[in-house]
Amino acid sequence: MILKKTLLASSLLSGAAVLASLAAPSAALAQEDSAVAVEELVVTGSRLRLQDFTAPNPVSTVNEEAIERSGITNVTDLMQSYPALVGSTDNQDLANAANRGSVGLNLLNLRNLGEKRTLVLVDGRRHVAGDPGTAAVDTNAIPVGLIERVEVLTGGASAVYGADGVSGVVNFITKRNFEGLDVRTQYGFSDEGGGEEAFISAVGGRNFMDGRANVTAALEYSNRDAISPYDRDFSRPGNREIFVNNPADYNNIDRGPWGDTTLVFARDSRYIDTALGGGVYTRADFNSGTYSGVSFEGDGDPWVDGLYTGGFSMLGGSGTPTDLFQTELVPGLERWSAYVSGTYDLSADHRVFANVKYNNAKTSFTSQPTFDYGIFVPIENPFIPGSIRADAIAPGGFADPGTDTGLPPGVLVARDNFDLGQVRRDIERETIRTVVGFEGDLSPAISYNVSYTFGKTTEENDELNNRNNLRWFAAIDAVRDPASGNIVCRSTLDPSAVPLGDVFGDGVDAGAWNAAYAGSGAAAGCVPINIFGEGGISPEARAWINETAHSSAEVEQHVLNAYISGDTSEQFELPAGPIGFVLGAEYRKEKSLFTPSQSELLAAQLGYSVTWLGEGAVVQGEFDVNELFAELAVPIVRDLPFVQSFDVNLAYRFSDYSTIGTTDTWNIGGQWRVTDDLMIRGSRARAVRAPNINELFLPQVQTFRSITDPCDTRNVEAGTQYRLANCTAALGYSPLDQDFIDTTSSSVEGVVGGNPNLESETGDTQTLGLVFTPRFAPGLSMSLDYYRITLKDAVNQFTADTIIESCYDLEQPNDFCNLFTRDPATGFVDFFQEYSVNVSEYETAGFDFTAQYLLDPVDLGIQRDIGRFQFNLAANRLTKLQFIEIEGADPTDEVGFAGAPKWQANFDVTWLWNDLIVNYGFNWFDETKRYTDERRASDPNYVPADYWTYSPRETHDIQVQYSFRDAYQAYAGINNFTNQLPDRGTTGVGSTGAGAFTQGATPVGPVGRYFYVGLKANF
């Protein structure tokens, strides 16, 4: 709980007192002085320094006031509410068993083209990645209290900043040369329970030596509790509703209560074969009268079936409730950071600057338990209940001497091992970033900047309750010691006795047993366990079987950048003014190293999954790049009728990579100011993205995926015109004439790896817009911009589902069919390969509309002081979001799916009156698709009519702030005060089974109504 962290919070408050010693006497005076000093503006998307310069690309800005008035202390949570970044990854999105190694990362995704194509900068400079092997920046490493504003640029920015900014740039501008002391503390909690958060931030700065030097320092701490499924009615086990196949289609029951749709909502979905205390197979022909062939529960009671719903699911009965396999809805996150920056004027024209930042983020995540489908237990095991033993030795049983099963006498147990302990991840990430450099003026018209940036992220990742499979199966194989009569492990008496393990999964490999168990002396410490029923695993046995697997990662970045910026006013001017220019060079080196746990390395060496984590490999790679870049701002015309000004901006960058060779990027844009009221702007840009380290250097390593088989009878008509014929050829029969139901209930094993022969991606961006600032309405500004981004030769690491679907949805033969295999006996997919290739094409297009209006009622003739009003609107119409996996494939249109709504808007209004500020915010997007159009066309009765789509998002926020004693502001607020919750059947994140490339809120996350209170102080 948060109360346990009060010691650290107290330490931070003490740190704030130290920061106070840096504070100048008057923060208001510092702001006033800085306002006078501003003569030039550097805009995200350019290094040009020109008075009154206007960017040709649309740039959206979120300022410090908007951040504080949101009541949100996590940057990504806030930025997701803006249309361009709605598809970003927050704490909830990675809260699943498949991504448990990435839990805690917050990654921005601009225009839904992916985190790896979104360039995140801090003060216009690159920031070290937080996700090993990629360039994706974890925004948890950016202190919220230090942010002055966030600028979002749509479109290619490679010519200015280098690779990765294919979809655009998100630039975090931090406070610089700060004077005074700002302290903010906040406590929040959700109405539904869970998710408590404590936050404190302090930023202090002071000028020295008559203003020649400045030191700014910041401390920040945040701690948010997890939200578990038990904290919400819609996810609480036993109460959760999910879509299941209509039981009336599988059971001889009245359809009336269930309706006519293929899927229906239901509670208490369970597995038909596995149970908390085990499901036991005793009949050799699996003909026990149950759906799965299981005869008994682990404690010896007869197995009870529920209502069958297809595959491995039923409603009610003896199986394990699927509700129990939910992971935490939102993981907990604790982070703190420290920052110090300084500047010193060497002379009137030259300055040295430096800053250093340290950030620490810790998160924990409870995942699923281990499970087995057919553990072989010899009949002499003393823990086998009498009823199970009697049935197994009866004629036709697994232990009947007269029945040939190919196995020794015994029984098979399918079990979900919650009593062994659920798998848990504890992750700690540390980020260090330093910047040092010189800047100044070479002449009144030319300035320079030279800087070196170093960044390093380290990740320590512990997997708790990582089951040692050899010890697990050894502990299950219990016998009575003939000498003492005590129950002991068979391997204690005979270390060479290899158990069979899970005959439906991974059996025990004899070579691995001898090398990693019998030969290691582990048998001497074996603690026998009873898996028949719940609670038969002692704490001593759990401690012996489970281990903590430790993996680590390290990312390192070095950037040396130098440029001059200025204009030609000292040499010449065009009739419309001087030409602005930038000339520069940059060197960058990126390194990444991932070291898996020793158990994963041992498993890879032995070719057998020694632990539940499976196999792993060291992933190591690096590259460097040398670059030259230039920019020009050319004034073409000034002061003509209907052409107050017309400017052209040009940018070019040449890059030489150690991995992919040379690339060229460019940008051309223009601004036409028609009148004081109207400006038209447009741009075209060529951007590139170099393959990241994982895409290039990831070795072939073991992985697991849940497969949705396109040839399943339920899916075969939901694809292209080729799917049915291709599936019929693969299976040897039509899935429509003979049911083919893929009943695989576990993940399928495969391999995933990189490709050192990858080339760069190429992106082209076009923007065209207008800015309207009418003189008849002072304080009003509006903009409307069209954007279109096309990406060719996109690096795509095909997922197993995409590989299999593409095999059958494309005309055959095609290369996808060579990347997986099917079990000859069952027809189920039993192996796949995933790797990266330059084959995909992506395209997105839409319109952005923004409006800001500062209304002073005095301007309307109202003399009474009723305050001022600020209105802000950011809206988007997404017209295209299309992905083409490979040449010849049909485009996949993602517009309207979760994470990519067709319409969205963010609106807020602020009332400022004397010492009172009231802010209201409204975040909206329209309904999004729950299922594909192909699904709807093939089965109009697939789901009830109201559930083809997710509801629109409609969240309302309010904050009230009151200032007192000149330096203090107390505030309180409610986010989502109407308490909108996830749609029925979801926990807040949309399945990628509908939109293949997007994932998003459905329509909101699980937090619900959220209250917070806070206090700010400014000195």
Side-chain angles (χ1 to χ4, degrees):
M1 294 294 291
I2 290 172
L3 294 179
K4 296 180 181 178
K5 308 299 181 182
T6 52
L7 180 60
L8 180 54
S10 300
S11 300
L12 281 167
L13 285 171
S14 299
V18 175
L19 292 176
S21 66
L22 298 174
S26 172
L29 179 60
Q31 295 169 355
E32 188 176 302
D33 289 344
S34 63
V36 173
V38 172
E39 296 178 353
E40 298 175 340
L41 177 66
V42 179
V43 178
T44 296
S46 175
R47 289 189 171 91
L48 291 164
R49 291 179 176 269
L50 293 175
Q51 190 170 2
D52 300 324
F53 174 71
T54 305
N57 295 77
V59 177
S60 302
T61 302
V62 180
N63 60 25
E64 179 184 9
E65 289 77 17
I67 296 173
E68 292 185 353
R69 290 170 187 171
S70 72
I72 294 173
T73 60
N74 180 290
V75 175
T76 298
D77 288 346
L78 173 65
M79 300 308 294
Q80 274 185 315
S81 66
Y82 289 87
L85 292 160
V86 68
S88 299
T89 299
D90 61 15
N91 281 349
Q92 182 193 0
D93 294 325
L94 295 174
N96 57 72
N99 293 312
R100 62 183 184 268
S102 301
V103 169
L105 290 174
N106 280 231
L107 309 173
L108 297 178
N109 180 358
L110 185 57
R111 302 297 181 191
N112 264 312
L113 293 181
E115 293 93 350
K116 60 187 178 183
R117 300 181 182 93
T118 301
L119 181 58
V120 175
L121 306 173
V122 175
D123 295 323
R125 294 183 176 87
R126 285 180 176 265
H127 192 285
V128 65
D131 190 11
T134 76
V137 174
D138 181 10
T139 59
N140 285 320
I142 303 173
V144 176
L146 201 62
I147 298 172
E148 183 176 281
R149 66 184 187 276
V150 185
E151 296 181 343
V152 182
L153 166 72
T154 291
S158 292
V160 178
Y161 298 115
D164 303 325
V166 175
S167 60
V169 170
V170 181
N171 190 10
F172 290 86
I173 311 298
T174 62
K175 297 170 182 176
R176 190 177 181 186
N177 293 331
F178 184 81
E179 282 196 89
L181 174 65
D182 287 353
V183 179
R184 177 187 170 200
T185 181
Q186 181 175 306
Y187 170 76
F189 60 95
S190 68
D191 191 28
E192 304 283 327
E196 285 183 80
E197 182 181 24
F199 172 84
I200 184 168
S201 172
V203 181
R206 185 174 180 180
N207 286 336
F208 300 91
M209 302 174 66
D210 297 325
R212 293 182 60 188
N214 176 272
V215 175
T216 299
L219 289 171
E220 186 168 292
Y221 173 77
S222 172
N223 181 30
R224 177 188 292 176
D225 285 349
I227 298 178
S228 109
Y230 291 91
D231 291 327
R232 297 291 181 269
D233 288 339
F234 56 78
S235 58
R236 187 171 295 118
N239 194 55
R240 185 178 72 127
E241 282 189 302
I242 60 171
F243 267 129
V244 300
N245 292 312
N246 195 325
D249 292 333
Y250 297 89
N251 304 272
N252 186 22
I253 59 174
D254 180 17
R255 184 173 288 275
W258 298 103
D260 296 322
T261 56
T262 303
L263 300 184
V264 297
F265 281 112
R267 292 185 173 94
D268 198 23
S269 177
R270 296 172 179 250
Y271 291 115
I272 64 172
D273 55 346
T274 61
L276 299 175
V280 186
Y281 297 93
T282 57
R283 310 310 297 163
D285 59 2
F286 297 98
N287 186 14
S288 64
T290 63
Y291 300 135
S292 61
V294 172
S295 303
F296 293 91
E297 296 181 20
D299 60 6
D301 290 338
W303 184 268
V304 177
D305 278 337
L307 281 176
Y308 186 52
T309 54
F312 272 79
S313 298
M314 62 184 178
L315 301 180
S318 296
T320 301
T322 59
D323 291 358
L324 299 180
F325 279 83
Q326 294 181 92
T327 58
E328 288 174 332
L329 301 181
V330 180
L333 178 66
E334 181 182 25
R335 60 182 177 86
W336 72 274
S337 59
Y339 171 90
V340 178
S341 69
T343 61
Y344 177 69
D345 292 344
L346 300 171
S347 68
D349 295 324
H350 304 283
R351 170 187 292 181
V352 61
F353 60 89
N355 63 64
V356 59
K357 177 187 70 175
Y358 172 81
N359 185 81
N360 181 288
K362 296 179 181 178
T363 188
S364 296
F365 177 67
T366 301
S367 185
Q368 298 176 353
T370 63
F371 48 84
D372 300 278
Y373 294 107
I375 304 170
F376 178 78
V377 182
I379 196 64
E380 64 268 25
N381 188 297
F383 293 121
I384 297 177
S387 57
I388 294 176
R389 187 188 308 275
D391 197 56
I393 63 177
F398 267 115
D400 174 20
T403 301
D404 183 12
T405 65
L407 297 171
V411 297
L412 302 179
V413 181
R415 198 173 193 276
D416 297 312
N417 308 308
F418 282 87
D419 52 0
L420 186 61
Q422 291 176 248
V423 175
R424 184 173 182 85
R425 282 275 177 151
D426 286 347
I427 303 174
E428 180 176 8
R429 298 182 177 94
E430 292 183 306
T431 301
I432 297 174
R433 182 176 185 262
T434 62
V435 179
V436 61
F438 297 89
E439 62 184 3
D441 297 323
L442 300 176
S443 73
I446 299 176
S447 63
Y448 71 93
N449 187 292
V450 179
S451 66
Y452 168 70
T453 302
F454 169 78
K456 185 175 182 179
T457 297
T458 57
E459 177 183 287
E460 304 297 331
N461 203 318
D462 288 333
E463 175 120 341
L464 286 71
N465 293 329
N466 178 40
R467 188 182 82 182
N468 185 303
N469 293 325
L470 299 175
R471 293 189 176 199
W472 166 248
F473 292 124
I476 292 171
D477 190 13
V479 296
R480 287 199 180 273
D481 183 349
S484 66
N486 296 328
I487 298 175
V488 297
C489 300
R490 189 190 303 270
S491 62
T492 301
L493 305 176
D494 179 11
S496 66
V498 182
L500 293 182
D502 187 346
V503 299
F504 294 155
D506 287 336
V508 176
D509 179 79
W513 174 271
N514 292 327
Y517 183 79
S520 69
C526 184
V527 181
I529 61 174
N530 177 10
I531 63 170
F532 294 91
E534 292 184 74
I537 303 176
S538 66
E540 294 78 15
R542 280 197 297 271
W544 184 75
I545 294 167
N546 291 331
E547 62 181 51
T548 296
H550 178 79
S551 61
S552 63
E554 185 175 292
V555 185
E556 194 170 288
Q557 180 186 73
H558 303 264
V559 183
L560 181 62
N561 180 283
Y563 65 90
I564 59 172
S565 174
D567 63 59
T568 62
S569 59
E570 294 178 324
Q571 290 75 33
F572 68 92
E573 292 190 15
L574 299 178
I579 297 174
F581 64 87
V582 173
L583 293 172
E586 183 171 286
Y587 171 79
R588 177 164 57 96
K589 185 171 186 177
E590 305 273 358
K591 300 168 64 176
S592 180
L593 171 65
F594 169 74
T595 305
S597 65
Q598 290 300 311
S599 58
E600 291 172 282
L601 292 172
L602 177 62
Q605 177 184 340
L606 298 175
Y608 173 79
S609 296
V610 176
T611 70
W612 188 250
L613 266 179
E615 300 176 15
V618 174
V619 182
Q620 184 173 12
E622 64 179 63
F623 69 85
D624 61 13
V625 55
N626 294 283
E627 300 180 291
L628 299 173
F629 58 89
E631 292 184 66
L632 287 177
V634 184
I636 305 298
V637 176
R638 287 285 188 279
D639 302 324
L640 294 179
F642 301 106
V643 188
Q644 284 196 355
S645 65
F646 182 75
D647 299 324
V648 173
N649 306 103
L650 306 169
Y652 173 78
R653 177 178 289 248
F654 171 80
S655 306
D656 186 3
Y657 287 86
S658 61
T659 51
I660 61 171
T662 61
T663 64
D664 297 274
T665 57
W666 50 265
N667 193 336
I668 180 170
Q671 306 90 253
W672 170 23
R673 181 165 289 282
V674 183
T675 67
D676 287 339
D677 301 332
L678 180 64
M679 183 184 74
I680 298 173
R681 61 190 177 190
S683 69
R684 291 198 63 180
R686 166 66 54 86
V688 299
R689 188 186 74 86
N692 63 42
I693 290 173
N694 278 350
E695 292 167 333
L696 289 167
F697 303 116
L698 182 69
Q700 293 283 321
V701 295
Q702 180 188 49
T703 190
F704 296 88
R705 299 281 187 261
S706 297
I707 303 297
T708 301
D709 197 326
C711 294
D712 190 294
T713 300
R714 298 164 294 184
N715 303 323
V716 74
E717 292 185 291
T720 68
Q721 70 269 29
Y722 302 112
R723 181 178 288 190
L724 177 58
N726 288 340
C727 286
T728 299
L731 297 175
Y733 59 88
S734 170
L736 296 182
D737 297 335
Q738 178 180 336
D739 277 354
F740 174 67
I741 307 297
D742 191 339
T743 54
T744 304
S745 63
S746 64
S747 297
V748 176
E749 179 182 351
V751 294
V752 58
N755 180 356
N757 297 316
L758 289 173
E759 299 178 352
S760 63
E761 300 177 343
T762 302
D764 290 318
T765 301
Q766 298 87 42
T767 66
L768 180 62
L770 56 88
V771 180
F772 186 49
T773 53
R775 285 168 288 178
F776 63 80
L780 174 63
S781 64
M782 295 183 291
S783 66
L784 177 66
D785 290 280
Y786 169 78
Y787 63 89
R788 179 173 179 260
I789 304 172
T790 57
L791 183 66
K792 294 184 178 181
D793 296 324
V795 176
N796 197 347
Q797 182 169 297
F798 296 106
T799 65
D801 272 340
T802 300
I803 289 169
I804 299 166
E805 285 183 5
S806 298
C807 168
Y808 298 109
D809 282 348
L810 297 177
E811 193 171 5
Q812 292 185 355
N814 63 66
D815 292 338
F816 286 105
C817 297
N818 300 322
L819 299 178
F820 68 96
T821 60
R822 290 185 179 273
D823 186 318
T826 64
F828 300 161
V829 174
D830 60 1
F831 182 77
F832 61 87
Q833 303 174 65
E834 297 179 355
Y835 64 95
S836 299
V837 287
N838 289 99
V839 294
S840 300
E841 296 183 16
Y842 301 160
E843 182 176 354
T844 186
F847 293 88
D848 285 331
F849 175 76
T850 63
Q852 299 88 34
Y853 185 32
L854 178 59
L855 174 63
D856 190 338
V858 173
D859 295 335
L860 302 179
I862 300 175
Q863 299 303 315
R864 182 180 178 184
D865 182 11
I866 60 172
R868 293 173 297 132
F869 299 87
Q870 294 176 349
F871 301 88
N872 291 279
L873 173 66
N876 174 265
R877 168 63 165 95
L878 183 63
T879 60
K880 179 177 282 190
L881 182 60
Q882 184 174 280
F883 298 82
I884 301 176
E885 286 292 275
I886 192 171
E887 186 176 354
D890 291 334
T892 300
D893 188 2
E894 300 290 300
V895 174
F897 284 103
K902 184 180 295 185
W903 291 94
Q904 49 186 325
N906 186 297
F907 170 77
D908 75 88
V909 57
T910 304
W911 174 44
L912 304 96
W913 181 62
N914 295 330
D915 295 323
L916 182 67
I917 299 176
V918 180
N919 175 262
Y920 163 77
F922 176 59
N923 187 248
W924 173 87
F925 56 67
D926 65 339
E927 61 184 22
T928 53
K929 300 176 185 178
R930 192 188 283 245
Y931 298 100
T932 64
D933 295 336
E934 291 82 3
R935 172 67 71 187
R936 192 166 192 167
S938 66
D939 186 357
N941 290 321
Y942 189 64
V943 292
D946 292 340
Y947 295 99
W948 284 107
T949 60
Y950 297 112
S951 303
R953 171 185 280 179
E954 298 171 338
T955 60
H956 305 261
D957 309 326
I958 191 167
Q959 184 189 95
V960 178
Q961 176 180 301
Y962 182 73
S963 299
F964 59 98
R965 293 187 178 179
D966 296 329
Y968 300 93
Q969 302 91 45
Y971 64 94
I974 308 173
N975 288 340
N976 189 13
F977 64 75
T978 56
N979 199 32
Q980 186 174 20
L981 295 174
D983 271 8
R984 187 181 181 189
T986 78
T987 57
V989 176
S991 168
T992 54
F997 299 94
T998 60
Q999 176 173 292
T1002 59
V1004 295
V1007 176
R1009 185 184 293 118
Y1010 192 82
F1011 300 89
Y1012 62 90
V1013 294
L1015 179 67
K1016 295 186 291 183
N1018 313 104
F1019 304 101

